[in-house]
Amino acid sequence: LRRRIRDPRLTLEGLEVGGRSHANVALCYLEDKADPELLRQLREKLLHMQINSIAMSQESIAEAIAPAQWWNPFPKTRYTERPDVATASIMEGDVVLMIDNTPSVMLFPCTIFRFAEEINDYYFPPLVGSYLQIVRMIVLLLTLFVTPLWYLLVKDPAGLHESLHFLLIEDEYYVPLIVQLLLVELIIDVLKLASLNTPDALSNSFSMLGALILGDFAVQARWLVPEVLVYMAFVAIANYAQHSYEMGYAVKLCRMALLLLIYFFDWWGFIGGIIGVVALIASTRPLVGKGYLYPLIPFNGKDLRSLLPHQPGQHMSVQKGKALFEQKACSLPQLLQYRTEKNTQECGLERVCFRTLRHTSATLMIVSRQDVKTASSRLGHAQTSTTKRGMSAKNPPQQPNSTK
């Protein structure tokens, strides 16, 4: 992060968490852009969380500081292992929590609109990136409503309009449709679990062959109809368009709940299910931040416009927040000068130039008769000849008490 953000205002604040593990974590943010209230909330939760060990790294921390909403499947934080994503988030004013012994970092704050963004969209031209963002949002809605809406329409064929008769099932079936849909949902998860425990050389082949063999035999045995397999195959593939694994399973559980509501209450169940999903999203409380639906609720027009599809930046040092910035390089002495001035101001001391402190250190080394090599390494000179010229310019008699 230091190599990508060479700004003296980049702050890494170290903390220690865990009653037994005493693991090190660090809050990474820009002092002039991060929300002070969000930092305060996150800092207090980390220092007061009741946990002995963070054996599961970021997941242990997320569970320890998460609100008591075990029944809510929607993710309350975001993770990444990519330096460009972490850098872009920090430049936008977010806070990154780095945990020792894991490559993943946690990104704060978290809202549902952030899951529609993907860093790879910003490596494409603006038009292509905007198109991909729109497609991702549409696919997310389709994965939630495709199978429940199809089941609702074919559940009562007599009331279906003639223009929609192509949705009807022509073949005879014996297993109820609701059972078929839920069974395929279960089979997809079984194949995923099996592929995780299969050797890498066979995992891809096993997943494809398992799906084809099971689907073919299920149709021949009249357990499933081809229409169910087609719609569920679309849903299974569309889930991979969502880069968040947690959000994919949240949508899956909501989809299964919609199917059950439609089975019992028909159209009223579908309407009630949509209201329930919206209420569930609105009631989701993130770990820290202003709300899960921010900037829509509470409303903030400026932040809401920043979530619009990918736009090219003209007079911006950061292009729509994604790792394309033109920061002025900052050397280590400049960073130390900034820190020195900040600390002296907080302590109520007079302003001291870091260069003056450096010269004072050099003077003390000359008085104490330090060797040239040691003085050169402490002063950061590339060559000892530079140090020799400075030390030969004034080399007073030795004063034993001056070192103290």
Side-chain angles (χ1 to χ4, degrees):
L1 291 178
R2 283 287 185 195
R3 294 181 67 87
R4 290 173 178 263
I5 308 177
R6 301 186 180 185
D7 191 321
R9 289 160 293 191
L10 177 64
T11 303
L12 279 83
E13 180 182 341
L15 300 172
E16 191 177 273
V17 297
R20 290 178 180 268
S21 61
H22 299 286
N24 296 320
V25 299
L27 295 173
C28 187
Y29 56 91
L30 284 175
E31 287 184 349
D32 60 331
K33 301 199 71 173
D35 184 5
E37 179 63 20
L38 185 143
L39 277 171
R40 184 192 64 80
Q41 294 178 9
L42 186 56
R43 193 181 294 115
E44 288 183 356
K45 287 193 173 185
L46 289 174
L47 293 176
H48 295 92
M49 69 178 188
Q50 302 296 324
I51 187 172
N52 288 327
S53 173
I54 56 170
M56 302 303 295
S57 301
Q58 67 274 5
E59 277 299 328
S60 299
I61 293 179
E63 292 179 6
I65 65 177
Q69 286 188 317
W70 59 267
W71 42 267
N72 194 319
F74 287 94
K76 300 171 181 63
T77 185
R78 296 177 296 144
Y79 308 102
T80 186
E81 295 183 6
R82 296 183 56 166
D84 53 353
V85 176
T87 301
S89 298
I90 293 173
M91 296 299 296
E92 286 185 332
D94 294 349
V95 179
V96 170
L97 179 63
M98 307 175 72
I99 303 105
D100 195 16
N101 295 322
T102 177
S104 296
V105 299
M106 304 173 70
L107 307 177
F108 300 97
C110 175
T111 66
I112 192 171
F113 300 105
R114 296 294 185 95
F115 292 99
E117 296 181 329
E118 168 65 26
I119 188 64
N120 293 322
D121 297 345
Y122 295 89
Y123 286 100
F124 292 102
L127 182 61
V128 178
S130 300
Y131 167 75
L132 293 176
Q133 284 190 21
I134 294 172
V135 167
R136 187 175 293 107
M137 288 187 288
I138 294 175
V139 168
L140 181 63
L141 294 175
L142 288 177
T143 55
L144 178 60
F145 293 114
V146 161
T147 51
L149 189 58
W150 174 77
Y151 174 62
L152 179 63
L153 293 175
V154 301
K155 186 180 180 184
D156 184 17
L160 192 63
H161 193 270
E162 292 183 359
S163 60
L164 298 177
H165 279 185
F166 68 94
L167 297 174
L168 296 176
I169 301 173
E170 297 180 357
D171 298 335
E172 187 178 0
Y173 59 92
Y174 302 100
V175 180
L177 284 179
I178 183 65
V179 176
Q180 295 186 35
L181 291 169
L182 295 178
L183 182 62
V184 176
E185 294 274 11
L186 178 64
I187 291 174
I188 291 174
D189 285 335
V190 170
L191 290 175
K192 287 182 180 179
L193 293 175
S195 64
L196 290 176
N197 297 318
T198 305
D200 294 338
L202 302 175
S203 59
N204 293 332
S205 302
F206 175 80
S207 299
M208 294 296 295
L209 290 175
L212 291 173
I213 293 173
L214 284 176
D216 184 51
F217 277 103
V219 171
Q220 292 183 10
R222 295 187 178 181
W223 287 5
L224 303 174
V225 294
E227 288 82 358
V228 169
L229 288 179
V230 169
Y231 289 110
M232 288 306 303
F234 168 78
V235 169
I237 295 173
N239 272 333
Y240 291 103
Q242 172 57 246
H243 61 91
S244 173
Y245 200 72
E246 296 85 358
M247 180 59 75
Y249 267 100
V251 173
K252 180 187 182 71
L253 294 176
C254 291
R255 182 173 64 245
M256 295 172 69
L258 274 175
L259 288 171
L260 292 174
L261 288 172
I262 292 171
Y263 174 73
F264 288 109
F265 305 108
D266 296 332
W267 279 100
W268 289 109
F270 181 66
I271 296 172
I274 294 176
I275 296 175
V277 170
V278 174
L280 188 64
I281 295 174
S283 63
T284 303
R285 291 183 293 168
L287 302 185
V288 289
K290 299 179 180 179
Y292 205 57
L293 291 176
Y294 180 83
L296 192 61
I297 302 175
F299 183 77
N300 187 313
K302 181 180 178 181
D303 291 345
L304 186 62
R305 285 192 298 270
S306 67
L307 294 175
L308 293 177
H310 183 111
Q311 296 177 356
Q314 296 178 352
H315 302 289
M316 300 171 62
S317 59
V318 183
Q319 262 198 6
K320 191 144 179 307
K322 296 299 176 189
L324 299 173
F325 53 89
E326 299 174 357
Q327 278 290 325
K328 187 176 180 180
C330 175
S331 61
L332 181 60
Q334 290 174 317
L335 177 61
L336 295 176
Q337 173 66 30
Y338 172 79
R339 294 294 183 191
T340 303
E341 291 181 357
K342 182 175 180 295
N343 293 334
T344 52
Q345 184 179 3
E346 290 178 353
C347 296
L349 303 176
E350 295 182 1
R351 183 181 181 276
V352 180
C353 180
F354 185 76
R355 185 179 181 84
T356 303
L357 296 177
R358 189 168 180 270
H359 288 175
T360 303
S361 175
T363 303
L364 292 174
M365 284 189 287
I366 292 174
V367 170
S368 61
R369 304 284 185 176
Q370 289 283 350
D371 60 281
V372 178
K373 187 175 181 181
T374 302
S376 178
S377 62
R378 290 184 180 180
L379 294 174
H381 291 161
Q383 298 178 351
T384 55
S385 58
T386 305
T387 312
K388 286 180 180 179
R389 287 196 299 270
M391 296 181 72
S392 61
K394 47 180 179 180
N395 193 2
Q398 183 175 4
Q399 300 178 13
N401 295 329
S402 60
T403 305
K404 296 182 180 180

